[in-house]
Amino acid sequence: RPSRVDDPRVLAAMAEIPRERFCPPHLRGVAYGDDDIDLGDGRFLIEPLVQARLIQAAAPQPGDVALVIGCHTGCTAAVLGRLVSTGFLLVPDEAAVDAIEPVLTEIGCENVLVQVGRAAEGLPAQAPFDVILLAGAVREVPETLLGQLAEGGRLVAVVGTGHMGKLTVCRRIGGVIGRTTPFEAAIPPLAELLPKPQFVF
């Protein structure tokens, strides 16, 4: 609340979802701290403030269909799932499905469906989406994902190349993508969308 998270639906959803259930036992004591939680293997749980501001910037509505990419625990998808009709969480492999699905079921997030796929490709079989949320910083937003936005749809991501990026809202209006950057934010990079290393002579 003191940091401009003022949407009552977002605040209620953040309060309802138990963040600690998305952390291993030895990290549950710091689940509500103001830091990203490193889970190892390039995975992380983004800090509550940035998580809430990303979701609020997406302006989710009760009838929306949403896609979350880069959420390694399922926590961001769970919060967003409280605010939309249906949520899809894109994960890289079946091991992630097996780890996340039981937690979502246990806390009553039956409307969040976990799907295996490549982050850069999105989920074309379920498109278009009213909301696409990238739970990790990217250097640029893939055009493939922008193409999966419904009319009026919003894609929200932290875009930048350094330590601090800009929270960017991409909105499709009349078939054209407009962008706004309401504030700066810092979260770990979305590893699946990092540029591939290139050989240089």
Side-chain angles (χ1 to χ4, degrees):
R1 290 186 182 93
S3 300
R4 299 193 298 278
V5 178
D6 50 18
D7 185 320
R9 294 179 64 240
V10 174
L11 291 168
M14 290 289 294
E16 187 175 343
I17 296 299
R19 281 177 64 87
E20 69 276 8
R21 288 292 293 111
F22 296 92
C23 296
H26 70 284
L27 290 174
R28 289 178 180 173
V30 296
Y32 295 88
D34 291 329
D35 290 299
D36 304 306
I37 298 176
D38 188 347
L39 303 173
D41 299 322
R43 299 178 307 116
F44 55 86
L45 175 60
I46 61 177
E47 64 172 283
L49 174 58
V50 176
Q51 181 187 56
R53 295 191 76 183
L54 278 168
I55 293 171
Q56 180 170 269
Q61 302 301 311
D64 284 352
V65 177
L67 172 65
V68 178
I69 298 174
C71 173
H72 300 109
T73 63
C75 183
T76 299
V79 176
L80 187 57
R82 286 289 193 265
L83 304 169
V84 299
S85 173
T86 304
F88 291 92
L89 171 59
L90 193 64
V91 297
D93 51 45
E94 290 292 342
V97 176
D98 294 341
I100 292 170
E101 274 190 341
V103 181
L104 293 175
T105 299
E106 180 183 319
I107 64 174
C109 293
E110 288 84 1
N111 69 324
V112 178
L113 308 174
V114 187
Q115 303 280 305
V116 174
R118 294 170 55 87
E121 296 173 1
L123 201 57
Q126 303 297 338
F129 299 99
D130 303 294
V131 171
I132 299 177
L133 189 150
L134 305 186
V138 294
R139 293 190 180 181
E140 59 184 23
V141 177
E143 291 294 328
T144 305
L145 301 182
L146 293 174
Q148 294 177 28
L149 282 176
E151 178 65 19
R154 293 82 62 202
L155 183 149
V156 180
V158 174
V159 179
T161 56
H163 173 70
M164 185 68 69
K166 292 184 180 296
L167 188 140
T168 302
V169 181
C170 305
R171 184 185 298 266
R172 179 182 292 277
I173 300 176
V176 177
I177 301 294
R179 301 177 188 237
T180 57
T181 53
F183 54 86
E184 293 185 336
I187 55 175
L190 205 169
E192 295 95 320
L193 293 180
L194 286 175
K196 296 287 190 296
Q198 295 183 346
F199 182 77
V200 179
F201 288 99

